[in-house]
Amino acid sequence: MAAKASFTSTEHRGATPLMSEEAVVSRIFDHIDNKTTDTGQSSWREPTENYQSVERFDAELALLRKRWIVFCPSVALPKSGDYIARDAAGVPLIVVRGNDGEIRGFRNACRHRGVQVASGRGCTNVFVCPYHGWSYGNDGSLRSVPHKDGFPGLDKESRGLVAVDCLEKNGLIFVKQNADSKDRREETDLPDLIPDGHRVIKSEALEIEANWKLHLESSLEGYHIRSTHQTTFFPVQYDNLTVVESFGQNNRIAFPYQVIEGLRDKPRSTWSTNGRLTFVYHLFPNVVVSTFPDCMQVVVLEPLGLELTRQHMFLLADHETDKQALDAILEGQAFAKMGAIEDREVVLGAQRGLKAGANDFLEFGLFESAIGRFHETLAGELAGSV
């Protein structure tokens, strides 16, 4: 009989420990042998209006601003002065590692006329506004004002870049924009997902003309493997076979590869999932961390509009990985990208399908329990705001 995963709200809040590698592999073998998979206790019906409503989208952005959310992995900013400037929930931000090694976040707007003082990624001790040259240290302090005699009474101490709450924990960097909202630190209580000694070997941003939730959903179930990935993932994985766990408001889904069968005759104490399955960690609400052979990927989905999402991707590998191993990783990622393109095509199809007006709701069945849990949690967080 298939294992059960309920949608009860109490399951979202607890610090439920994740299964060991041995337990996950054992459960996968049970599913293979019994032709089963993890299932939920009920389907979830998500109103299509929730993908098309401006009011709902604005509420989702407001939620992203008031809670702790993952901005990037820590290893994306390894050195003093390293920074990333991008929009988060529609707000231009800078996150930078200061000369003292501390991570700080700021609203990306000059205190003179509001022009952004940084863009993209880089490394600097000083941010200089391109409009009039006001400059700020990477601690946010206002350093200099050209022709400062033109600003009598200017208090430099109070005119630094405006800070946002920033936290570095378990290999991830979190920001929280709304200082007035409840400081729920449990939102950052996550497993140590990023091993020590990793570095970013590739990063990129990609825009997808679809709602961010449609894009996220494609990562959270294996029911589509055979149909969508006939010549890519299906020949090396399994159709509709996953192990689904929840921890806090988050989910972990294990997608086994067929080579996992090679562990059956090995001692349990030697079982390793590296190269034998992909773990997908969904960090509520908009971040996905995936493990691949000898590397991992952190993806932040940035909602830009009802039908537009920017995907920020960071590919990580061990610092000591040599060139030959890096080439193998990148070759594997090229294969994974083929599957990602297939996912993107069906996501775009789902976005177009919303316009057909055929459905009042999208149905997520027993095999798609992680998606149902995501929507239930999101609805709970937004209750009373829409």
Side-chain angles (χ1 to χ4, degrees):
M1 184 176 178
K4 301 294 184 183
S6 72
F7 287 151
T8 58
S9 58
T10 54
E11 191 172 308
H12 297 162
R13 299 295 182 183
T16 306
L18 294 169
M19 289 192 293
S20 66
E21 290 191 39
E22 178 183 332
V24 172
V25 173
S26 179
R27 188 148 157 178
I28 288 169
F29 286 159
D30 286 343
H31 283 324
I32 293 172
D33 295 341
N34 295 303
K35 295 181 172 54
T36 56
T37 187
D38 278 15
T39 61
Q41 293 183 341
S42 60
S43 296
W44 180 270
R45 292 180 172 181
E46 183 68 9
T48 51
E49 177 67 12
N50 286 348
Y51 300 88
Q52 300 173 294
S53 163
V54 173
E55 183 181 10
R56 170 64 181 251
F57 180 77
D58 289 344
E60 291 166 357
L61 290 186
L63 174 66
L64 290 174
R65 296 184 193 116
K66 79 175 187 178
R67 63 177 287 131
W68 288 103
I69 58 170
V70 175
F71 188 84
C72 67
S74 293
V75 294
L77 302 175
K79 306 186 302 298
S80 295
D82 284 347
Y83 70 87
I84 293 176
R86 66 169 177 84
D87 285 4
V91 177
L93 298 181
I94 306 170
V95 173
V96 59
R97 190 174 296 280
N99 293 334
D100 58 0
E102 293 296 314
I103 287 290
R104 296 179 177 86
F106 303 101
R107 297 182 185 276
N108 189 1
C110 179
R111 300 304 305 284
H112 173 215
R113 299 271 289 276
V115 174
Q116 294 181 28
V117 300
S119 61
R121 301 180 62 182
C123 185
T124 188
N125 289 320
V126 180
F127 297 105
V128 180
C129 178
Y131 199 3
H132 297 95
W134 286 35
S135 65
Y136 305 84
N138 59 28
D139 62 354
S141 61
L142 178 59
R143 291 282 187 86
S144 68
V145 175
H147 306 291
K148 63 180 180 180
D149 54 324
F151 300 89
L154 174 67
D155 178 14
K156 290 176 64 176
E157 294 297 321
S158 64
R159 296 291 286 277
L161 297 175
V162 177
V164 296
D165 289 341
C166 205
L167 177 67
E168 187 171 19
K169 187 176 179 181
N170 294 344
L172 298 168
I173 294 171
F174 299 81
V175 296
K176 183 166 72 69
Q177 298 184 39
N178 187 350
D180 296 331
S181 63
K182 183 180 178 182
D183 188 6
R184 288 166 37 178
R185 289 296 176 105
E186 72 271 13
E187 294 166 351
T188 67
D189 290 340
L190 302 173
D192 291 324
L193 300 181
I194 314 295
D196 292 338
H198 271 50
R199 61 187 171 102
V200 176
I201 60 173
K202 183 181 180 181
S203 64
E204 62 183 14
L206 175 69
E207 291 191 359
I208 298 99
E209 294 180 343
N211 186 276
W212 70 279
K213 300 186 296 294
L214 290 176
H215 187 35
L216 173 67
E217 290 160 3
S218 67
S219 302
L220 304 184
E221 48 89 1
Y223 178 47
H224 72 288
I225 296 294
R226 182 194 294 266
S227 298
T228 303
H229 304 296
Q230 295 181 24
T231 61
T232 52
F233 295 161
F234 176 59
V236 297
Q237 296 186 4
Y238 296 87
D239 182 49
N240 201 27
L241 196 167
T242 55
V243 172
V244 182
E245 304 170 78
S246 65
F247 56 106
Q249 294 182 315
N250 316 292
N251 297 287
R252 183 174 79 168
I253 305 98
F255 296 83
Y257 312 156
Q258 294 185 28
V259 294
I260 202 168
E261 292 279 6
L263 294 179
R264 284 192 186 265
D265 298 326
K266 297 183 182 298
R268 283 177 172 251
S269 60
T270 67
W271 283 0
S272 170
T273 58
N274 183 37
R276 295 180 175 88
L277 63 78
T278 284
F279 279 122
V280 170
Y281 296 84
H282 170 222
L283 309 182
F284 182 84
N286 65 325
V287 174
V288 174
V289 178
S290 305
T291 65
F292 298 100
D294 299 315
C295 67
M296 63 193 315
Q297 187 181 89
V298 178
V299 171
V300 180
L301 299 180
E302 184 56 43
L304 299 180
L306 275 175
E307 300 181 14
L308 187 62
T309 303
R310 182 174 293 128
Q311 171 185 290
H312 299 275
M313 186 279 291
F314 304 87
L315 183 63
L316 315 180
D318 191 277
H319 263 288
E320 298 182 359
T321 305
D322 60 27
K323 184 180 184 305
Q324 183 177 0
L326 281 176
D327 288 343
I329 288 172
L330 293 176
E331 182 179 349
Q333 285 299 300
F335 171 75
K337 188 173 183 178
M338 293 169 59
I341 291 172
E342 293 168 339
D343 279 331
R344 189 158 63 247
E345 287 302 311
V346 296
V347 168
L348 294 174
Q351 182 67 57
R352 290 190 295 271
L354 291 174
K355 297 181 183 300
N359 298 303
D360 294 327
F361 57 84
L362 303 185
E363 180 141 10
F364 302 100
L366 304 184
F367 306 132
E368 302 159 301
S369 61
I371 303 175
R373 185 176 295 114
F374 159 64
H375 282 297
E376 184 191 34
T377 304
L378 184 59
E381 289 291 318
L382 296 177
S385 62
V386 180

